[in-house]
């Protein structure tokens, strides 16, 4: 067996993660999905998936997957801040799109820990600045887009 071959029985299909046991991951995924709905609605809501490992020395891999099941990358130790990063990686690799984007600099932003350790979207352009908390990208939209989003949410709720 070469370094580039793999055992087919080792590769497993990812399965959905039960978020009822992990409310922190459920809240992180909800925040990411709010940001996706506000800025990239055609992507649809992400799901958290897990590819189990057969080897006790190799941890399970967790993925943020698009509604159709496509995903890219993953994290070995799921934590709330890593969910945004995993979702961003999936959008970039699968949809070939930079997400999210700083409206001021028109560059991609990255998930980072804010001053009080809350996950934020951070723009590295210029001197660098915090764009917003993860889950609050709707607040950064221009007025017309923000109003249209609110109207859409009201129609959906009532």
């Amino acid at each position: 067996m070469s370094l580039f071959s793999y055992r087919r029985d080792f590769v497993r299909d990812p399965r959905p993660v039960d978020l009822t046991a992990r409310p922190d991951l459920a809240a992180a995924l909800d925040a990411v999905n709010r940001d996706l709905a506000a800025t990239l609605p055609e992507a649809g809501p992400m799901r958290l998936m897990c590819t189990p490992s057969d080897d006790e020395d190799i941890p399970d891999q967790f993925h943020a997957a698009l509604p159709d099941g496509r995903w890219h990358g993953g994290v070995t130790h799921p934590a709330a801040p890593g969910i945004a990063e995993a979702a961003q990686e999936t959008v970039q690799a699968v949809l070939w799109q930079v997400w999210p984007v700083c409206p001021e600099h028109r560059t991609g932003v990255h998930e980072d820990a804010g001053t009080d350790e809350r996950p934020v979207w951070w723009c590295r352009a210029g001197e660098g600045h915090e764009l917003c908390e993860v889950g609050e990208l709707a607040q950064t939209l221009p007025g017309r887009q923000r109003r249209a989003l609110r109207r859409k949410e009201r129609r959906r709720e009532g």
Side-chain angles (χ1 to χ4, degrees):
M1 183 181 285
S2 77
L3 291 173
F4 300 105
S5 62
Y6 66 93
R7 291 184 5 233
R8 179 66 195 144
D9 62 325
F10 180 74
V11 178
R12 300 225 183 236
D13 291 327
R15 63 173 188 253
V17 173
D18 178 17
L19 294 174
T20 57
R22 293 290 306 269
D24 59 328
L25 296 182
L29 191 61
D30 286 344
V32 167
N33 283 332
R34 281 195 309 274
D35 286 348
L36 273 171
T39 57
L40 195 61
E42 60 274 14
M46 291 271 182
R47 299 181 297 162
L48 191 60
M49 307 292 281
C50 174
T51 302
S53 172
D54 283 340
D55 189 338
E56 62 187 42
D57 294 330
I58 300 173
D60 294 345
Q61 292 287 312
F62 291 84
H63 321 281
L66 293 168
D68 62 6
R70 293 180 297 163
W71 55 270
H72 182 81
V75 294
T76 54
H77 301 288
I83 302 303
E85 187 177 333
Q88 185 178 34
E89 189 173 338
T90 293
V91 168
Q92 183 175 356
V94 175
L95 301 178
W96 287 68
Q97 185 164 351
V98 175
W99 177 84
V101 174
C102 174
E104 180 182 348
H105 297 105
R106 303 281 186 229
T107 60
V109 298
H110 304 274
E111 187 273 330
D112 200 355
T115 55
D116 56 355
E117 296 303 314
R118 68 198 189 327
V120 298
W121 293 116
W122 182 265
C123 177
R124 295 180 183 162
E127 306 234 347
H129 65 96
E130 180 180 307
L131 182 60
C132 65
E133 280 189 52
V134 172
E136 301 298 324
L137 272 176
Q139 304 305 317
T140 67
L141 294 173
R144 180 177 287 165
Q145 284 179 292
R146 195 168 52 243
R147 287 188 298 274
L149 182 63
R150 280 197 299 246
R151 279 193 299 274
K152 185 178 175 183
E153 288 173 354
R154 283 188 205 123
R155 275 188 242 127
R156 194 173 45 222
E157 291 172 359

